[in-house]
Amino acid sequence: CGSGLSGDYISEEGHYWIGMDISSAMLDVAVEREVEGDLLLADVGHGIPFRPGTFDGCISISAVQWLCNADKKSHSPPKRLYRFFSTLYTALARGSRAVLQLYPENSEQLELITAQAMRAGFTGGMVVDYPNSAKAKKFFLCLFVGTSGTLPKGLGTECAAEEMHQAKFTNERARFRNAKGKSVKKSRDWILEKKERRRRQGREVRADTKYTGRKRRPRF
């Protein structure tokens, strides 16, 4: 929960909340700000220490990806993630939801987080805002307890047909992306993404063909 900035908005909406953070310094700031929620110093990798069905929802902002790090020899990212998700599932009431915004380092990390959530019993999936933007792109893991809900549509996405096409397009070209999830420079993917950005800016761009991004033989 950090210094409780998001908690202020939750309070304004008329909800009661409990915030957890591993940093005592951040919680001290929250106390100084006199936030309305209750605060708990805890490592979520050790689990959510509350009775079953205590909460109607869970919100997390830029925290879950840190469970993928092994800061100590005893830390096992898969085990810490499963411990977090399994105890969170228990602490949430049936029919409630959890929305976890995160910044995955790569596709493998994203798959690990999602797999542990599903293993713990959650249903749901990943929602991506502005998938074609390098700066505005955000990942949201939307989870449901007990019942399957409808995933919200990510901001900055086009019509459903185009979304399906984009998802297929990305999967087919996953091997052309580097460890950070970006297309390799000068590759066909990189060129197509650059052309698409220019089209959105209203610039005149040549049409895509099967020759786009092809490697030309040197001439002597």
Side-chain angles (χ1 to χ4, degrees):
C1 67
S3 60
L5 291 175
S6 299
D8 290 343
Y9 182 79
I10 296 173
S11 297
E12 289 172 7
E13 292 296 308
H15 302 292
Y16 296 100
W17 58 274
I18 296 176
M20 297 174 63
D21 204 290
I22 196 172
S23 169
S24 57
M26 293 297 285
L27 293 176
D28 287 342
V29 175
V31 171
E32 289 176 9
R33 294 182 59 252
E34 298 182 351
V35 297
E36 293 185 23
D38 294 321
L39 305 171
L40 177 66
L41 178 65
D43 177 1
V44 295
H46 293 163
I48 307 297
F50 292 96
R51 292 179 180 178
T54 301
F55 300 101
D56 297 315
C58 171
I59 297 171
S60 173
I61 299 174
S62 185
V64 178
Q65 73 271 5
W66 298 113
L67 292 176
C68 295
N69 294 351
D71 299 323
K72 299 178 181 178
K73 287 185 179 180
S74 59
H75 284 180
S76 168
K79 289 182 179 179
R80 283 170 60 77
L81 282 165
Y82 179 71
R83 178 68 180 167
F84 165 66
F85 282 118
S86 59
T87 53
L88 176 62
Y89 186 91
T90 302
L92 290 170
R94 185 177 178 83
S96 58
R97 292 173 290 177
V99 179
L100 317 173
Q101 186 267 323
L102 60 150
Y103 291 102
E105 192 173 313
N106 48 47
S107 57
E108 289 78 13
Q109 199 175 86
L110 193 62
E111 187 175 344
L112 172 63
I113 293 170
T114 306
Q116 296 305 318
M118 299 303 135
R119 183 185 165 208
F122 284 106
T123 57
M126 194 67 64
V127 175
V128 184
D129 280 355
Y130 304 104
N132 298 316
S133 172
K135 293 183 179 180
K137 188 175 184 178
K138 279 189 172 61
F139 293 86
F140 296 87
L141 184 58
C142 299
L143 304 173
F144 305 97
V145 180
T147 55
S148 296
T150 303
L151 289 175
K153 185 179 178 181
L155 299 177
T157 56
E158 304 300 331
C159 63
E162 191 170 336
E163 272 186 59
M164 291 176 64
H165 174 71
Q166 286 177 350
K168 184 179 178 183
F169 182 90
T170 304
N171 290 337
E172 287 175 351
R173 290 173 166 75
R175 63 184 183 278
F176 292 108
R177 297 183 176 272
N178 59 22
K180 292 184 178 179
K182 296 181 179 179
S183 297
V184 178
K185 195 170 184 179
K186 302 297 183 182
S187 67
R188 177 179 167 83
D189 278 31
W190 182 84
I191 293 171
L192 290 173
E193 287 171 6
K194 188 173 181 180
K195 290 174 73 175
E196 186 59 34
R197 283 198 301 272
R198 297 198 171 204
R199 286 194 187 99
R200 290 199 299 271
Q201 292 169 358
R203 299 187 185 184
E204 200 171 307
V205 182
R206 289 185 181 181
D208 300 333
T209 70
K210 64 179 181 179
Y211 301 109
T212 302
R214 69 171 177 171
K215 292 184 179 179
R216 300 177 184 273
R217 294 182 180 178
R219 292 184 179 180
F220 297 97

